[in-house]
């Protein structure tokens, strides 16, 4: 099979590797029909995470089940499915909450070395009854791909931000996760959403969806716009030192900062005294994918939640290097890249 691999910063290639074996009696093999390039993939691409060996990339996949173990009961060979980017054992009390982040064995993420990469012809998925869902009627490929990671992450970010009805929210970073968080913030009752990004085109995209565009550094502008009070809730979908500092400075006393961006491996110098004196709540999580599906799928099916326009570019798998270069440019025209094996 073909799979996208990385050997070092910027070194993306499509490699032929042996087809994966069924990962136990509870697993499936999925023939991938669509895969996404995620902003967190760029941490490998841009050299922020060291590589001891080549890594098969990708954690967002939609495809068809081509082989299933005898213990799999929720999907069958031939079913079109989506695969959670975050994997749990599926059997512990933590996974019983439908949140793979709570897995007592520790979460695993496809395309990070622990499991195979989703940007491939085939993907082996363990504990399939927990990890895989047959795509419901009325959910298209782009929506399904967003449900595997970015939309689930953005939705969780808004849920954990303690957004009051009629409140003010700031979203830092307008990539796919940030744009999903922006739309989720409105769904959770925000009246005003400040959209923060250094790219003009991305701020304009957010403005077209009803947000108030703000350029970094944003804290001063948000404080001015709120009469010195600050935003009720801040969502950081970037998680650099600069964005985290700006987020903590932009939130009001007693407010919440919800972080879903992926930080690098260096410690962040948390201004703990300031947070203490202002009674700031800080929450951080990766995607609780499966837990969000019962909430998000009906909203997408009904049209109440709109995620159109987040995928901006589609390329064949063999042009993965071009896709990564496009994603890495972080332009206003290119937000989310879809690869088709």
């Amino acid at each position: 099979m073909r799979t996208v691999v990385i050997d070092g910063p910027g070194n993306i290639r499509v490699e032929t590797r042996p087809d994966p074996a069924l990962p136990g009696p509870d697993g499936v093999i999925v023939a991938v029909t669509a895969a996404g390039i995620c902003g967190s993939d760029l941490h490998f691409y841009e050299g922020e995470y060291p590589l001891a060996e080549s890594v098969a990339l990708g954690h967002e996949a939609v495809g068809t089940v081509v082989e299933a173990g005898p213990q799999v009961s929720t999907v069958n060979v031939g079913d079109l499915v989506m695969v959670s980017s975050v994997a749990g054992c599926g059997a512990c009390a933590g996974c019983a909450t439908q949140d793979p982040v709570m897995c007592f064995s520790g979460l695993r993420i496809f395309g990070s070395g622990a499991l195979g990469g989703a940007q491939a012809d085939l993907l082996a998925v363990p504990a399939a009854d927990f990890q895989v869902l047959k795509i419901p009627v009325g959910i298209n490929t782009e929506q399904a791909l967003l449900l595997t990671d970015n939309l689930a992450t953005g939705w969780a970010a808004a849920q954990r931000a303690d957004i009051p009805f009629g409140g003010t929210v700031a979203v830092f970073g307008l990539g796919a996760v940030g744009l999903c968080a922006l739309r989720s913030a409105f769904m959770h009752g925000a009246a005003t959403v400040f959209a923060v990004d250094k790219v003009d085109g991305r701020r304009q995209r957010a403005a077209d969806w009803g947000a108030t565009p703000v350029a970094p550094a944003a804290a001063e502008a948000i404080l001015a716009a709120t009469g010195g009070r600050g935003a009720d809730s801040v969502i950081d979908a970037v998680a650099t030192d600069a964005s985290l500092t700006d987020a903590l400075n932009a939130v009001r006393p007693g407010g919440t900062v919800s972080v879903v961006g992926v930080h690098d491996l260096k410690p962040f110098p948390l201004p703990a005294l300031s947070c203490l004196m202002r009674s700031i709540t800080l929450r951080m999580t990766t995607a609780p994918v499966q837990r969000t599906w019962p909430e998000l799928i009906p909203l997408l099916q009904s049209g109440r939640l709109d995620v159109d326009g987040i995928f901006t570019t589609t390329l064949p798998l063999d042009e993965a290097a071009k896709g990564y270069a496009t994603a890495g440019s972080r332009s206003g025209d290119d937000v989310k890249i879809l690869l088709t094996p």
Side-chain angles (χ1 to χ4, degrees):
M1 71 168 187
R2 297 168 302 157
T3 186
V4 176
V5 300
I6 186 166
D7 293 318
N11 189 17
I12 296 288
R13 72 177 190 277
V14 178
E15 182 178 283
T16 299
R17 292 187 173 184
D19 291 353
L22 193 69
D26 63 351
V28 297
I29 302 294
V30 175
V32 180
T33 55
I37 295 178
C38 181
S40 57
D41 292 327
L42 297 180
H43 287 285
F44 292 107
Y45 182 71
E46 295 172 343
E48 294 177 359
Y49 293 163
L51 295 170
E53 58 186 12
S54 62
V55 171
L57 290 171
H59 51 264
E60 303 170 355
V62 167
T64 302
V65 176
V66 293
E67 187 178 356
Q71 294 179 9
V72 178
S73 62
T74 59
V75 296
N76 299 301
V77 171
D79 285 344
L80 184 62
V81 299
M82 54 191 184
V83 182
S84 170
S85 58
V86 184
C89 73
C92 69
C95 288
T97 68
Q98 296 302 302
D99 182 353
V101 180
M102 298 295 107
C103 181
F104 290 177
S105 300
L107 65 85
R108 294 183 293 169
I109 300 174
F110 289 96
S112 62
L115 297 171
Q119 295 162 12
D121 289 316
L122 297 169
L123 181 64
V125 184
D129 285 343
F130 182 63
Q131 254 76 252
V132 170
L133 181 70
K134 184 177 179 180
I135 296 179
V137 174
I139 299 297
N140 63 37
T141 296
E142 292 187 358
Q143 291 171 331
L145 268 180
L146 291 173
L147 283 165
T148 68
D149 181 9
N150 293 166
L151 181 55
T153 304
W155 183 257
Q159 284 183 321
R160 293 164 62 85
D162 299 326
I163 299 170
F165 286 105
T168 299
V169 178
V171 176
F172 285 70
L174 302 176
V177 170
L179 291 174
C180 287
L182 183 153
R183 294 191 173 187
S184 298
F186 281 123
M187 289 291 297
H188 280 80
T192 301
V193 177
F194 295 104
V196 183
D197 199 283
K198 64 183 179 181
V199 179
D200 291 342
R202 295 192 173 195
R203 294 198 302 272
Q204 183 56 55
R205 189 182 298 272
D208 292 342
W209 294 343
T212 301
V214 180
E220 185 175 339
I222 291 169
L223 288 169
T226 56
R229 180 171 179 267
D232 297 302
S233 309
V234 178
I235 296 169
D236 187 352
V238 183
T240 61
D241 284 3
S243 70
L244 287 166
T245 299
D246 214 18
L248 290 168
N249 289 333
V251 72
R252 67 165 172 81
T256 297
V257 176
S258 175
V259 181
V260 289
V262 180
H263 195 262
D264 60 28
L265 299 178
K266 299 176 183 178
F268 169 63
L270 177 72
L273 180 59
S274 172
C275 292
L276 174 76
M277 299 303 292
R278 296 168 58 225
S279 192
I280 303 303
T281 296
L282 175 63
R283 292 199 173 105
M284 309 179 81
T285 190
T286 188
V289 179
Q290 293 90 320
R291 182 187 61 73
T292 70
W293 284 345
E295 299 166 345
L296 288 170
I297 288 170
L299 290 171
L300 291 169
Q301 289 172 319
S302 68
R304 292 285 305 279
L305 179 60
D306 177 15
V307 291
D308 290 349
I310 291 177
F311 279 98
T312 53
T313 307
T314 299
L315 294 169
L317 187 71
D318 287 334
E319 295 185 24
K322 178 180 178 181
Y324 271 84
T326 300
S329 72
R330 294 179 174 84
S331 75
D333 296 325
D334 301 295
V335 177
K336 181 76 173 171
I337 313 300
L338 188 153
L339 299 176
T340 56

